[in-house]
């Protein structure tokens, strides 16, 4: 499928990092157990970059821009168990860029594995320079690091947390191009595309491209990060506006309704929920697919609950985007005890 929009999207500077398209697969056993809609899983956890995840799409455009500017060093941000940080470390390794990760202690999870296993272990293995700090010290750590890198003559490109710059969000638009093609080939018309939403780049890209391609589905973000879900809506709106300002001939005619569900976050970002842990255990044994307790497992629990509540009929098709995150399972081993 090509049109003026897809032509424009494909000509943006891009560094290929992933394995595309990611599969769209039916979860037959979970669908049967729930007796509800047919559940399709978009396997963005198989996107590549050191156990995969949703950041691969964003990083293709972000590193494309960075390399076009002659960058040799990437600096980015996240929580200690940031999947974005780990995927950025892998992306940098694969193209020979230096990678600095400023990881802040924003999650109150008291088990030692959190600070040494999972993503943070992989970050070091992938050759990234890891700078851990308290949340309040993030700006100071950044200023110091940037000054040091400048002294060393590094050509730095900064990527915001989650890769959720407008360009990163546009990377995620490619997921919709794949979904439009895959659903057409399968002859299905999904009612909803559901996923975990945090720094907003994923949902922005999905909403933006779904509007541009006039897809019939509703994009439903499951809030896993913001204490007030209105923040999520405001950020997605702002990112859509910035895309329109940067590329005026690609702007949406109007900002569409943004759909967010706040019922599945639990007490805070990074705190597992009982429903999330149960869903992870159940679906691991039922379908042989792993989810994580911070992001994709909460989206999975949301979908299961929405089906239990009767919000989908047995003739519906629904897509759950598996945004990755399984690298953090080792850091959360205590949650499963
Ligand atoms: C595994 C996983 N799923 C979902 C998300 C949410 O994506 P976004 O930050 O683009 O909203 C993230 C990133 O924060 C993630 O790491």
């Amino acid at each position: 499928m090509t049109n003026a929009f897809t032509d424009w999207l494909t000509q943006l500077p891009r560094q290929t990092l992933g394995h595309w398209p990611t599969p769209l697969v039916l979860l037959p056993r979970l669908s049967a157990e729930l007796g509800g809609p047919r559940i399709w899983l978009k396997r963005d956890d198989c996107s590549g970059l050191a156990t995969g995840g949703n950041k691969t799409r964003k990083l293709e455009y972000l590193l494309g821009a960075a390399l076009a500017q002659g960058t040799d060093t990437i600096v980015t941000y996240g929580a200690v168990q940031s999947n974005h940080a780990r995927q950025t470390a892998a992306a940098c390794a694969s193209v020979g860029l230096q990678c600095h990760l400023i990881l802040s202690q924003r999650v109150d999870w008291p088990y030692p594995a959190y600070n040494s296993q999972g993503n943070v272990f992989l970050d070091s293995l992938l050759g990234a320079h890891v700078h851990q700090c308290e949340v309040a010290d993030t700006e100071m750590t950044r200023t110091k690091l940037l000054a040091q890198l400048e002294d060393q003559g590094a050509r730095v490109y900064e990527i915001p947390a989650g890769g959720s710059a407008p360009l990163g969000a546009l990377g995620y638009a490619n997921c919709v191009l794949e979904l439009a093609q895959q659903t057409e080939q399968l002859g299905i018309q999904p009612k909803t595309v559901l996923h975990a939403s945090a720094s907003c780049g994923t949902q922005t890209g999905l909403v933006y491209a779904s509007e541009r391609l006039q897809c019939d589905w509703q994009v439903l973000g499951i809030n896993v990060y913001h204490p007030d879900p209105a923040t999520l809506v405001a950020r997605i709106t702002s990112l859509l506006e910035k895309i329109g300002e940067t590329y005026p001939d690609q702007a949406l005619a109007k900002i569409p309704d943004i759909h967010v569900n706040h019922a599945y976050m639990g007490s805070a970002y990074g705190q597992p929920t009982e429903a999330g842990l149960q869903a992870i255990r159940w679906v691991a044994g039922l379908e042989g697919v792993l989810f994580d307790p911070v992001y994709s497992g909460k989206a999975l629990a949301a979908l299961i609950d929405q089906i239990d509540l009767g919000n989908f009929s047995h003739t519906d098709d629904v897509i759950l985007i598996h945004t990755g995150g399984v690298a953090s399972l080792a850091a959360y081993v205590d949650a499963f005890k």
Side-chain angles (χ1 to χ4, degrees):
M1 172 219 339
T2 56
N3 59 29
F5 165 58
T6 59
D7 286 348
W8 169 73
L9 203 59
T10 42
Q11 58 74 46
L12 289 169
R14 181 172 181 174
Q15 172 64 46
T16 301
L17 299 166
H19 312 305
W20 315 119
T22 59
L24 179 65
V25 298
L26 182 65
L27 296 184
R29 285 159 58 76
L30 182 62
S31 303
E33 283 282 332
L34 291 170
R38 283 194 295 184
I39 301 169
W40 299 87
L41 193 63
K42 177 65 170 162
R43 299 294 309 259
D44 271 17
D45 59 320
C46 301
S47 62
L49 290 184
T51 76
N54 60 342
K55 301 308 184 285
T56 314
R57 295 187 189 277
K58 300 177 180 184
L59 287 164
E60 288 206 340
Y61 281 8
L62 292 165
L63 287 204
L67 290 167
Q69 290 174 22
T71 302
D72 57 19
T73 303
I74 299 290
V75 175
T76 195
Y77 307 88
V80 172
Q81 284 299 329
S82 166
N83 298 296
H84 160 69
R86 179 250 314 156
Q87 291 210 269
T88 304
C92 287
S94 76
V95 295
L97 292 172
Q98 287 280 323
C99 181
H100 288 265
L101 306 173
I102 298 184
L103 304 181
S104 55
Q105 291 283 359
R106 58 183 65 247
V107 174
D108 184 17
W109 185 251
Y111 302 94
Y114 185 85
N115 287 313
S116 61
Q117 303 294 314
N119 282 302
V120 75
F121 165 67
L122 296 182
D123 294 340
S124 302
L125 203 58
L126 292 161
H129 304 272
V130 176
H131 311 266
Q132 285 202 35
C133 64
E134 295 300 324
V135 176
D137 296 336
T138 308
E139 195 46 41
M140 190 185 69
T141 309
R142 169 179 178 263
T143 309
K144 235 165 93 178
L145 175 64
L146 291 180
Q148 270 170 14
L149 291 171
E150 196 183 335
D151 285 350
Q152 292 163 13
R155 295 186 299 278
V156 172
Y157 186 93
E158 275 186 280
I159 297 179
S164 287
L167 203 50
L170 285 175
Y172 225 83
N174 285 295
C175 183
V176 176
L177 267 47
E178 291 177 16
L179 284 177
Q181 218 160 37
Q182 289 168 321
T183 53
E184 192 185 319
Q185 279 162 5
L186 289 162
I188 58 171
Q189 292 179 322
K191 186 175 162 184
T192 302
V193 172
L194 182 146
H195 67 99
S197 200
S199 68
C200 304
T202 301
Q203 192 162 358
T204 302
L206 291 171
V207 169
Y208 173 72
S210 298
E211 285 295 303
R212 295 295 309 270
L213 293 181
Q214 299 181 324
C215 301
D216 286 333
W217 53 64
Q218 181 186 96
V219 175
L220 176 59
I222 304 303
N223 179 25
V224 300
Y225 187 88
H226 302 279
D228 180 355
T231 315
L232 202 55
V233 176
R235 288 208 184 161
I236 293 165
T237 303
S238 160
L239 276 170
L240 289 170
E241 285 168 353
K242 280 186 191 145
I243 290 171
E245 285 157 19
T246 315
Y247 309 99
D249 52 344
Q250 303 295 332
L252 296 181
K254 75 175 190 41
I255 303 295
D257 291 341
I258 311 286
H259 302 281
V260 169
N261 190 316
H262 185 53
Y264 303 97
M265 186 170 98
S267 59
Y269 167 68
Q271 299 298 329
T273 60
E274 204 38 59
L277 295 172
Q278 260 180 32
I280 293 168
R281 272 202 197 91
W282 188 39
V283 175
L286 192 64
E287 293 280 6
V289 182
L290 297 173
F291 290 78
D292 80 282
V294 180
Y295 298 98
S296 55
K298 287 184 179 175
L300 175 67
L303 177 59
I304 292 170
D305 191 50
Q306 289 294 308
I307 294 171
D308 281 347
L309 289 169
N311 290 338
F312 295 100
S313 86
H314 70 280
T315 55
D316 287 336
D317 288 284
V318 55
I319 294 175
L320 171 63
I321 301 185
H322 194 323
T323 47
V326 294
S328 79
L329 277 172
Y332 278 98
V333 70
D334 299 282
F336 291 90
K337 282 178 182 161

